[in-house]
Amino acid sequence: MSGAAITAGSGGIILSGVSYAVAGRTILSGLDLTLTEPRIGIVGRNGSGKTTLLRLMAGLVAPSAGRVTVEGYDPKDRKAMLRALGILFQNPDHMILFPTVIEELAFGLVQMGQPKHAAEARAMACLAMEGRAHWAKAPTATLSQGQRHYLCLLSVLLMQPETILLDEPFAGLDLPTQARLARRLAALSQRTITISHDPAAMAGADRVLWLEAGRIRADGPPAAVLPAFTAEMARIGEVDADTDLAG
C-alpha cells in the first residue's frame, strides 16, 4: 500500500479529496465521503458520474487526485479486496466468465486460495440451499437474464465480502424477478451501496447521496433527499435539456 499506514478492517469506504478526469474531462470532483451505513443509495441522472464512482470504490480505476480506502485497504490490494468488496454489475454478461454454473460459482473461491474441489463443493452446497442444485452443470448461456443476474449475486455472496456494490440491480428485469431480487438484497447482512437513477429503489436506504455533475448535491436520509431529487428531475424533464451536442 502507498502513502500513510492504513488499519485493515477499519470499516466502510472512505473517499478523501477524490477527483477523476479522463481525456481532459472532469467526471468527479473533490469528493469527501465516509460510507458506513448498512444501506446506502446513490442517485443521479445519466452522466452524473455514478458508475465512475462505483468503479473508483471497486478499484477498477484509480483517482486522478485523492485517496480511496475500502475496509481499511487500498483498492489496489486485489487479494484483500476479494473479501472486502463485491460488485453486481447492471449487465450480468459483463461478469460471467465460465461455460457452466458450477465453474462460475467456484471461480471466486479459487481466486481466494481454495482448492478447486473444495470450491466446487461449496458452490454445490450453495446451489442446494437455494433450491437450484439442478443448475450446477447448466450452460450459463442458457440461463435467462434474471437467472444470470441471480448467478452473479450468488458468486459474490460465496466470497462473503463486507460490502456489495450494486449497479442498477433491477434494470432489464421483469417485475416478479425484481421483487425476488429486492427481497434477497434486503435480507443481506452485508453493507450494500446501490447506484441507480430510480428513486423508488432507494426508499428503504439509511442514507442517500445525490450526485450531480460529479459532485454531491445532497446527502441525507431518503425522506430529505429523494423528494428534492424527484422534483428536480421533473423540472429538467419539462424543458429541452438534451438538445446540445456533447463537447
Side-chain angles (χ1 to χ4, degrees), residues 134-152:
H134 57 291
W135 282 21
K137 300 298 183 182
T140 53
T142 65
L143 301 182
S144 70
Q145 172 84 359
Q147 290 171 332
R148 293 198 301 276
H149 215 72
Y150 203 81
L151 170 61
C152 291

Side-chain angles (χ1 to χ4, degrees), residues 42-60:
I42 302 176
V43 295
R45 54 180 172 155
N46 291 340
S48 62
K50 301 188 306 296
T51 298
T52 299
L53 178 55
L54 177 145
R55 291 171 65 83
L56 277 168
M57 290 190 287
L60 299 176

